Amino acid sequence: MIRKTLIAGNWKMNGLLEDGIALAKGVAQEVKKAGRKDCEFLICPPFTLLSSAKKAIKGTKLMLGAQDCHYAEKGAHTGDISAKMLQDIGCQYVIVGHSERRTNHYESNELIKQKAEAAINTGLKVIICIGETEAEKDAGKTIAVCSAQIEGSVPEISNGQNTVIAYEPVWAIGTGRTPTTAEVEEVHAAIRKVVAKKLGRANANKMRILYGGSMKPSNAKELLALPDVDGGLIGGASLKVADFMAIGEASKQ
């Protein structure tokens, strides 16, 4: 099964208007120049930059996503953004369940599942994040934790077209540390088995599983060469055009 590589940039809470537009334009121009048919590129700026980024990437194949959404379509939810609003502004993707949301905002698997379901029903593609803490890793619970998060966070309406899983070991995000390639492949292969059990083997074979957690130009090639790694969810390295595109270049087989 050939799965098209996805290189997704999660800008997190970074970027004021001028710099954000410049970054979006820079990535868009490089994506246009690269003309890749085997790889998709996605940027996920903060909410304040989505409209400007959409204009900046117009006419290119660079895709736009958001970093979170509410499960309701509208209503009395001060400070929240619905999936319908994201679609209306031009988003194609939304990230849900990032470890920073799970930890800092106490988001449960059940809540993340509701958000993912709302996004899919709206017509957005969803990137559902999973991953273990350092304590869970040291206790040998990596696969058990990831399996439970998939079971609890991935809705039954997910399939290989509308859902992407991002494995992000919490202890590796922004720390410069990464698991060994053998560890990454072991977890990604296990994730695909859990997805197959939940959604069927056909969907599991089509579903892209991204690696996140300090992926950078220096380690991207070996990580992206692994059989069950279908791209990356990039944090810090997505804030520099050259680094982000170098990771994309490393995905060439």
Side-chain angles (χ1 to χ4, degrees):
M1 172 64 64
I2 297 174
R3 295 177 292 269
K4 188 177 283 192
T5 301
L6 175 62
I7 305 297
N10 177 13
W11 294 9
K12 305 191 178 183
M13 197 173 70
N14 293 291
L16 299 182
L17 191 59
E18 186 177 351
D19 291 337
I21 291 172
L23 179 56
K25 279 184 177 176
V27 175
Q29 287 166 2
E30 292 302 314
V31 167
K32 194 171 185 177
K33 263 194 270 183
R36 298 276 298 277
K37 292 183 178 178
D38 62 328
C39 182
E40 293 178 339
F41 292 88
L42 167 69
I43 56 170
C44 299
F47 292 134
T48 53
L49 290 173
L50 288 174
S51 184
S52 299
K54 180 62 180 175
K55 293 173 186 173
I57 69 177
K58 188 176 180 181
T60 72
K61 290 186 178 179
L62 179 59
M63 296 181 294
L64 185 67
Q67 297 173 22
D68 187 43
C69 70
H70 196 275
Y71 59 82
E73 187 174 321
K74 59 182 178 180
H77 303 286
T78 302
D80 284 309
I81 304 288
S82 73
K84 196 72 177 172
M85 290 171 175
L86 297 176
Q87 185 191 49
D88 186 50
I89 211 169
C91 288
Q92 294 140 291
Y93 279 84
V94 63
I95 299 168
V96 297
H98 193 280
S99 65
E100 290 154 6
R101 300 288 313 177
R102 290 178 184 265
T103 301
N104 299 339
H105 296 270
Y106 310 102
E107 293 193 358
S108 65
N109 286 331
E110 183 181 6
L111 176 61
I112 292 158
K113 183 178 181 178
Q114 286 179 297
K115 291 182 175 190
E117 199 161 42
I120 292 168
N121 283 331
T122 298
L124 295 176
K125 293 182 180 180
V126 66
I127 298 175
I128 302 173
C129 301
I130 62 170
E132 82 283 10
T133 64
E134 188 169 28
E136 290 165 339
K137 176 186 187 297
D138 292 343
K141 296 180 179 177
T142 295
I143 290 173
V145 168
C146 291
S147 298
Q149 288 176 340
I150 291 168
E151 287 293 343
S153 302
V154 177
E156 284 67 27
I157 59 171
S158 283
N159 59 44
Q161 284 74 43
N162 62 28
T163 301
V164 176
I165 303 290
Y167 168 57
E168 295 198 309
V170 179
W171 52 272
I173 298 171
T175 64
R177 296 177 59 199
T178 55
T180 65
T181 52
E183 287 173 328
V184 172
E185 177 54 27
E186 179 188 10
V187 178
H188 277 238
I191 289 168
R192 205 173 297 284
K193 285 181 182 175
V194 176
V195 173
K197 186 178 178 183
K198 183 179 178 74
L199 302 173
R201 185 159 298 280
N203 280 321
N205 287 340
K206 290 176 184 175
M207 191 171 290
R208 290 178 289 188
I209 305 172
L210 311 184
Y211 175 74
S214 295
M215 183 184 280
K216 46 192 180 282
S218 60
N219 64 15
K221 191 171 182 67
E222 61 179 354
L223 288 166
L224 292 168
L226 298 172
D228 284 296
V229 174
D230 306 310
L233 183 57
I234 319 300
S238 71
L239 300 176
K240 294 182 179 178
V241 176
D243 288 352
F244 186 62
M245 295 309 297
I247 292 171
E249 187 67 20
S251 72
K252 283 185 176 177
Q253 298 299 321

